Amino acid sequence: MIGRFKSNLGPHRESIRRIGHRHEEFLASLALMFWSTEGLCVSDEVTRTSELYKEIILRELHNYYREELHLQDYATRLGEVLMFLQTYEQRAGDMDKHLELLRLLNVFSEDT
């Protein structure tokens, strides 16, 4: 299992290194992952709250690029950060499938 966990992100480690998230970008990525409700069965209120917080996070990231880093054309950088989110979601989906397979093989119980 340890090998599987390590290899799940293995092919993407180079792209993660290449992006070289700044601390603020990494925190924004984590917050966007947390507030991502697409594909989940949640109430309309949670969906609205999620959209509001994602909008706030992206606005703060915009301000960070403009005011802190003095970048006028940061679309490429923002695109790389957002692509990281997609990569993470794909890897998380793969991990869910692997864990479900292990559960079906009785490697661990359903309540684990």
Side-chain angles (χ1 to χ4, degrees):
M1 281 184 63
I2 291 172
R4 175 67 179 178
F5 283 113
K6 286 183 178 179
S7 68
N8 196 28
L9 272 177
H12 301 284
R13 289 179 191 264
E14 184 56 40
S15 63
I16 292 170
R17 281 189 200 101
R18 185 182 51 77
I19 292 171
H21 281 101
R22 295 177 180 268
H23 180 72
E24 294 80 1
E25 292 172 319
F26 187 73
L27 291 176
S29 296
L30 290 178
L32 288 169
M33 283 183 223
F34 179 80
W35 285 109
S36 178
T37 58
E38 290 80 16
L40 299 177
C41 185
V42 295
S43 70
D44 290 340
E45 182 179 348
V46 171
T47 301
R48 282 191 303 274
T49 302
S50 167
E51 293 302 318
L52 173 69
Y53 282 125
K54 287 191 295 187
E55 183 181 319
I56 291 169
I57 293 163
L58 289 172
R59 187 176 19 211
E60 289 296 319
L61 198 53
H62 165 81
N63 291 337
Y64 171 71
Y65 286 133
R66 290 285 177 126
E67 296 170 11
E68 297 291 322
L69 299 181
H70 304 291
L71 296 174
Q72 298 306 314
D73 185 23
Y74 57 87
T76 303
R77 180 68 185 171
L78 182 60
E80 289 177 336
V81 170
L82 295 178
M83 286 301 292
F84 169 74
L85 297 176
Q86 183 179 7
T87 299
Y88 177 80
E89 288 174 5
Q90 289 172 346
R91 298 291 62 115
D94 290 348
M95 188 59 66
D96 288 344
K97 292 175 189 173
H98 182 70
L99 292 175
E100 181 62 18
L101 177 64
L102 292 175
R103 188 192 64 75
L104 290 171
L105 294 172
N106 290 323
V107 173
F108 52 83
S109 64
E110 286 189 39
D111 62 346
T112 299

